[in-house]
Structures are given as C-alpha cells and as structure tokens.
Amino acid sequence: MKLQNELGPNIPVNKPLVVRTIKDVTKEQREYALEKTEYNVFSFPADLLFVDFLSDSGSGTMTDLQWASLFHGDESYGRNKGYYVLLDAIRDTFERGDKPNRAINLILSGETNVKKLMDELYLTSFEGGFVNGGVHQLIRPNAFIVPQGRCAEFLLFSTIAPILKEKYPSNEFFIPNNGHFDTTEANITVNGITPVNLFSANLLDEFPYDQMDNRNPFKGNMDIKRLETLIHEKGVDSIPLIYITITNNTAAGQPVEMNNIREVKKVANKYDIPLFFDACRFAENANFIKEFEKGYQNRTILNIVQEMFSHVDGFTISFKKDGLANIGGGFFFRDNGKFHEKFSFKEDIGIKLKEKQILTFGNDSYGGMSGRDIMALATGLYEVVQESYLNERKFQIRTFARKLAENHVPVILPAGGHAIYLNMDKFFEGLDAKIDEFRGVGFTIELIRHYGIRACELGPFAFEWDKKNPEQQKGILNLVRFAVPRNVYGPSHIDYAVAAITELYNNRDKIPKVEISRGANLRLRHFQTGLQPIYK
Ligand code: F0G
C-alpha cells in the first residue's frame, strides 16, 4: 500500500472554521459598478467580486492561534508586551535557525513568574544582530516596526537620500534590484534616486509545465553580469545599496537561488556596498530553495532562512506577505554593519531613522501598529515557516499555473510562490496590440465585467511605460498577475478562475484597448487614474 505522502502533494493541512458568503452579483451590476469606479480595478468594491486575486497582501486568513493572540494585545503607548515578543520572534525567524527561543510562549501561556518574565523577556539585552535589544536598541537603534513594507521603504530612502546628496553632491544615484516592486521603485524615485531592474536573462524562457515538480531555473535571480557592468559604468559611490527581492514579485514571483544571493554578496563585498533584502516573501523563497537547490533538501526552512539572511546587511519587509499577518512591516539592519558605517555620516543613522519613525508612524515600540496586530504578527512568524503550510500554498499556485498551461494560456512557468502571471505579449500575439493600448488592463476589466474576478496588470500601465526612457522601458515586463491570498481559496475558486481566463483567452480579439481618461501623469497612477475601455 502507498504511504500517505505518495498519494500526491496535497495532504490537507488545515480546515476552515469560519466562512464568508459571496454575494450573487450580476454582470449588469458589475458593469454599472465598473462605470461608477472609472474602470480602475483598484477602485472596484471587493464585496461585489466572486474571487479577488488583486493581492496576497494582508488579505490572507488568520489562523485560530493568531485570532487567539489578539487577546494578548497590549495597547500601551510605551513598551507594550508585544514589542518584546515581536522583536524576539524576528530574531528567532531570521537569525536563530533551528534554535528558536520562543519567548512568545511566556505571554501566550500566561506566565506569572515576574523574575522569569524580566530575565527572559522584558529586561534582556541584545546586540550584534538585526534586532538590538534593551539599552542597545536605544543607543544604536537598528530595528523599526512600521505598519507596512512601503513605510519601511519610505523610512529608508527618505533618510538616506539627503545623506547621499550631502556626501557626494555631484553624483547621481542608482539602486539595482533583481526586480523592484512598484512601491519600492516609487519610494526610490521620489527621493531622486534611480531604480534599476536587473532581471535574470532566462525570465521569459519557455518551461514545460509537466516539469514543475522536478526542477526550477530560479528565474528570480539577479543578473550578476549586469550588476557588475552597472557598478563599473556609474561608479561605486553612485550605488548606495544593492537590493534583492525574495521572491521576485515584479519578475513573476520567481524565487532566488541561495547561490545567486551568495554571488551578489561577493560583488557587494568587492565594492563595499551594503546588500539588502526586500524580504516580503522570504519563507516562500526558502521553500523553493529547499525543494530545488542542491544540498538543501534535508535542511529546515528556518535553517535556510538563517543562511539567506546571513548574507545581507539589512532588510525591509512587509509582514503582510507570505500569509503572515493582515498588517505589519519593518526595517532592520545589522548592528555596527556596513550600512550603519556607510550612512552614519555626522550622526548615527539609527538615531535619525528612529526620530523619523516616531515623527511619522508612532513610538518605536508599536510603530503605527495596534498591540493586537503585533501579537498576531509575532504568532504568524512561527506559523509561516512551517513546511506543510508552505507546500500546500506552493502546490495550489502550481496547480493553478498547470491548469492554465494545459489550456494553452500563456502563463509564466514555472509558477512562482504567491501568484500566477500571464505574459500579455504572448497573450495578444498576432493581434497587433500596441504596448500603449494597455490591453492587459483591458483584460482585467473584462475579467471583472464578465466573471467577477479581479486581477492586476503589472506591466506598461502600472510601471508607466509611456513616461520612461527607452533604457527604463526595457525593465518593464508586460504581465497580469493573479495573486492568491493564503488559506482563502480552494479548488473551486481556482477552477472557476481557470475557466474564466481560458474563455477570455479564446476570445482575446474582443478585449478592448484602454485609454487613461484622468490622471495619466499621477505618480503610482494605477492606484488612482480614471480609465476608459474602447470597444470596437
Ligand atoms: N515589496 C514587495 C516585493 C511587495 O510585493 C510589496 C507589496 C511591498 C514591497 C510593499 O509592501 O504593501 O506592505 O507596503 N506588495 C503587494 C502586492 C501590495 O500586491 O504585491 P506593503
């Protein structure tokens, strides 16, 4: 008889105990709502959709343990107990590998031994890692809790930009990344720095869908040759940081190999440039390394995460990803590391960052989050690295991609970690669809109109193709993304989406081009412009 794990990858890993009824909205009602919301899919009321793939960000289902931890939330203005728990959970997740401390259990179990609480949680001090503790966090702050990833990006880039300009007044600055996310790119740009995407050259290579369980080309990697060329061309003092996004959301959610991280680190070391992660989907990335990179099969996720983070000088993170929590973000850098040294110009960079954190988000011990959410997040950090959870999620996305590929829909393969992406250049091949006709957006409008499904264009419209120079235009892919929130959807949602996407693909000649009717020059315009589909 076969063993349980030979019956396929999908051993059930959880069960819903609460469900939400989806409303029975008609096509005519959606058409009316589309018109009323200027055909901008971001503005469409979520409650009127059948399935919402706009984002996996903060939209996942919390576990029963996370709901239970909300009750332990402490809304104190100064040093709420969740602050200590969260900082320790971050050390556990990113630094301690297979030896987590789990100080969170002192709170969740209602520990009443005051001395134990003081010695093991409230009055402990740490230094030398990503999260100083006790007096060291005051003297050399290096850990900043914020409400979401983009707040961390804002904090980082708005603080370093003036320092760079003061230090190197005649320089231009460039921040390379294996793929900047839209908010990262925008936060860099508004601060007068140029973001550069160094996608892996194999990103759009064909991949057979029946091989997805057997191998992975790690298409999320950074193109290291281009990184070296950029540094040579622009000069070391023009590259303040190097960024690696794990997984590479803008490049179809593809994972990054440990070997690539190591190689980028070598280049960063050679030129003495701090290396950062945009760590949004670190656990999913680690899970791909475990499955496909030689030498990692017998390692735990925590152990792999520890190695990944041992290579970087700091990271910004949205804790809303990976299905971790509904809200949360952070910015962390290595105590007395390269980033600290480079940017502590006249004043300690951590102190500067802390001042801005307090001015803009809140006292350092909650950073704009509620005490309840801090507890749910800390609990989520322990759950997100569980392999059974990660596998179930990964196989759901893989199945979604495989079913589309079987129907000949041009989906980027292999599937990434949190979403499937359609290649819109291929989708409209042969139809003379011009890049500035934004047909990818037209496709997302039709998906809502006909089928009540929301997806998101991440292509020439979102990345503002028409406002970029030819060099920057090369860094824009033409994709539509279906991001899958964690533990929200099951096979019926995926099958419905596959059927709807296939139907539209088979009728792609009827998909309208789209014009921007209001706000073409707004920054981050995909969140806010008015649109008009033009039907023939
Ligand atoms: N970096 C990456 C790679 C992201 O995917 C996101 C958000 C952010 C940074 C910003 O984080 O939303 O917490 O401020 N991505 C979401 C998405 C919105 O749908 O992909 P945030």
Side-chain angles (χ1 to χ4, degrees):
M1 204 174 334
K2 284 183 177 171
L3 298 171
Q4 64 178 39
N5 59 3
E6 291 172 313
L7 292 183
N10 296 320
I11 299 168
V13 298
N14 56 35
K15 51 192 173 186
L17 295 175
V18 176
V19 294
R20 180 165 291 165
T21 304
I22 296 170
K23 299 195 171 54
D24 193 10
V25 182
T26 64
K27 180 179 168 194
E28 289 69 32
Q29 288 170 326
R30 285 192 300 271
E31 280 177 336
Y32 178 67
L34 275 167
E35 196 191 317
K36 284 291 214 190
T37 53
E38 294 186 296
Y39 295 92
N40 185 321
V41 304
F42 280 82
S43 307
F44 195 90
D47 199 27
L48 304 181
L49 294 164
F50 293 137
V51 197
D52 193 355
F53 294 114
L54 182 65
S55 181
D56 60 321
S57 179
S59 48
T61 300
M62 287 211 296
T63 63
D64 50 359
L65 290 183
Q66 285 184 296
W67 281 104
S69 0
L70 293 178
F71 282 98
H72 294 276
D74 170 2
E75 308 301 337
S76 305
Y77 186 60
R79 293 291 184 271
N80 70 86
K81 58 186 169 185
Y83 167 76
Y84 301 96
V85 166
L86 178 60
L87 292 195
D88 207 59
I90 291 166
R91 291 182 198 110
D92 273 352
T93 308
F94 301 106
E95 297 188 297
R96 291 194 182 124
D98 292 324
K99 295 196 181 74
N101 186 32
R102 287 189 169 261
I104 189 173
N105 289 343
L106 293 170
I107 297 303
L108 298 183
S109 66
E111 180 60 62
T112 53
N113 181 331
V114 175
K115 181 161 184 341
K116 196 173 167 64
L117 283 168
M118 293 205 294
D119 291 347
E120 293 177 24
L121 189 64
Y122 296 138
L123 303 179
T124 47
S125 71
F126 293 91
E127 61 181 323
F130 288 123
V131 190
N132 282 349
V135 71
H136 303 298
Q137 188 56 247
L138 292 175
I139 298 169
R140 288 187 316 282
N142 67 343
F144 308 89
I145 305 167
V146 288
Q148 31 183 119
R150 66 200 68 184
C151 310
E153 295 159 4
F154 162 79
L155 206 55
L156 169 62
F157 299 120
S158 70
T159 309
I160 65 168
I163 298 173
L164 288 168
K165 278 164 208 157
E166 200 181 335
K167 237 176 141 176
Y168 311 101
S170 55
N171 280 25
E172 269 188 278
F173 301 100
F174 302 84
I175 297 188
N177 197 323
N178 56 332
H180 286 284
F181 184 65
D182 59 5
T183 59
T184 325
E185 178 172 312
N187 267 305
I188 291 173
T189 309
V190 292
N191 284 294
I193 304 173
T194 306
V196 182
N197 285 338
L198 303 176
F199 299 131
S200 174
N202 67 350
L203 176 57
L204 296 178
D205 285 0
E206 297 285 329
F207 188 92
Y209 68 81
D210 58 358
Q211 289 299 306
M212 283 196 284
D213 289 331
N214 302 333
R215 59 191 168 92
N216 192 295
F218 287 93
K219 291 175 166 188
N221 285 350
M222 177 179 282
D223 187 329
I224 298 192
K225 271 202 197 120
R226 284 179 61 206
L227 174 65
E228 289 247 32
T229 310
L230 182 82
I231 299 172
H232 278 253
E233 271 176 22
K234 307 295 181 193
V236 175
D237 290 340
S238 284
I239 315 285
L241 295 173
I242 299 171
Y243 245 90
I244 303 178
T245 304
I246 48 173
T247 56
N248 193 340
N249 188 9
T250 300
Q254 300 290 310
V256 178
E257 221 170 0
M258 188 75 84
N259 192 43
N260 188 252
I261 297 171
R262 236 181 265 125
E263 291 296 312
V264 176
K265 176 66 180 166
K266 270 193 210 155
V267 176
N269 275 351
K270 183 166 145 194
Y271 297 101
D272 209 26
I273 302 171
L275 174 62
F276 267 57
F277 276 146
D278 175 338
C280 284
R281 297 174 180 87
F282 70 95
E284 287 167 10
N285 200 94
N287 188 250
F288 277 102
I289 290 175
K290 180 173 168 100
E291 186 180 8
F292 292 113
E293 192 165 344
K294 202 161 160 264
Y296 289 91
Q297 280 66 48
N298 296 323
R299 307 252 306 255
T300 62
I301 297 295
L302 274 177
N303 188 272
I304 295 171
V305 171
Q306 182 186 32
E307 182 181 335
M308 286 160 68
F309 282 76
S310 73
H311 295 302
V312 294
D313 301 292
F315 57 102
T316 51
I317 186 164
S318 164
F319 290 122
K320 302 173 70 173
K321 313 298 182 306
D322 260 338
L324 239 170
N326 296 133
I327 197 78
F331 168 34
F332 307 87
F333 61 83
R334 205 173 284 290
D335 187 27
N336 281 323
K338 206 177 283 181
F339 174 81
H340 182 260
E341 187 190 329
K342 182 164 179 174
F343 290 99
S344 290
F345 180 63
K346 297 186 182 166
E347 195 184 348
D348 185 284
I349 182 70
I351 301 270
K352 255 192 177 161
L353 285 158
K354 180 135 298 182
E355 275 169 15
K356 189 171 278 179
Q357 178 195 31
I358 295 170
L359 270 175
T360 47
F361 298 113
N363 184 359
D364 58 353
S365 49
Y366 63 91
M369 289 183 64
S370 74
R372 288 183 285 278
D373 287 315
I374 287 176
M375 286 305 295
L377 164 56
T379 300
L381 276 165
Y382 294 97
E383 296 179 323
V384 75
V385 289
Q386 285 168 11
E387 207 180 321
S388 53
Y389 154 68
L390 287 167
N391 281 342
E392 199 248 6
R393 174 160 174 72
K394 179 176 63 183
F395 289 126
Q396 182 181 41
I397 312 273
R398 204 172 283 175
T399 303
F400 193 174
R402 183 177 46 73
K403 288 184 171 180
L404 287 168
E406 282 167 353
N407 290 355
H408 310 291
V409 177
V411 56
I412 305 255
L413 296 174
H418 68 292
I420 65 101
Y421 296 67
L422 303 187
N423 180 342
M424 284 293 121
D425 287 336
K426 285 229 168 113
F427 194 100
F428 290 112
E429 209 163 53
L431 288 182
D432 191 30
K434 311 246 175 343
I435 193 99
D436 57 356
E437 289 177 355
F438 306 132
R439 297 228 179 219
V441 180
F443 167 62
T444 61
I445 292 172
E446 292 302 276
L447 259 181
I448 290 184
R449 191 160 82 93
H450 291 284
Y451 304 114
I453 297 173
R454 175 158 59 183
C456 176
E457 193 250 20
L458 287 176
F461 172 61
F463 289 102
E464 307 177 347
W465 189 89
D466 42 309
K467 290 200 250 163
K468 302 233 155 121
N469 66 38
E471 190 52 36
Q472 291 170 320
Q473 284 173 345
K474 275 192 229 151
I476 299 177
L477 303 165
N478 190 4
L479 307 176
V480 165
R481 183 186 77 170
F482 295 71
V484 184
R486 92 150 164 181
N487 293 337
V488 176
Y489 297 132
S492 69
H493 303 90
I494 301 296
D495 287 347
Y496 177 66
V498 169
I501 295 165
T502 305
E503 189 62 18
L504 278 176
Y505 178 61
N506 292 337
N507 289 282
R508 55 195 177 275
D509 56 321
K510 301 187 189 72
I511 291 176
K513 68 174 179 181
V514 173
E515 288 176 0
I516 301 175
S517 52
R518 184 185 55 74
N521 289 324
L522 291 167
R523 268 197 288 258
L524 284 169
R525 68 181 182 198
H526 53 305
F527 293 101
Q528 33 178 351
T529 50
L531 298 168
Q532 186 60 55
I534 310 290
Y535 295 97
K536 272 191 259 181

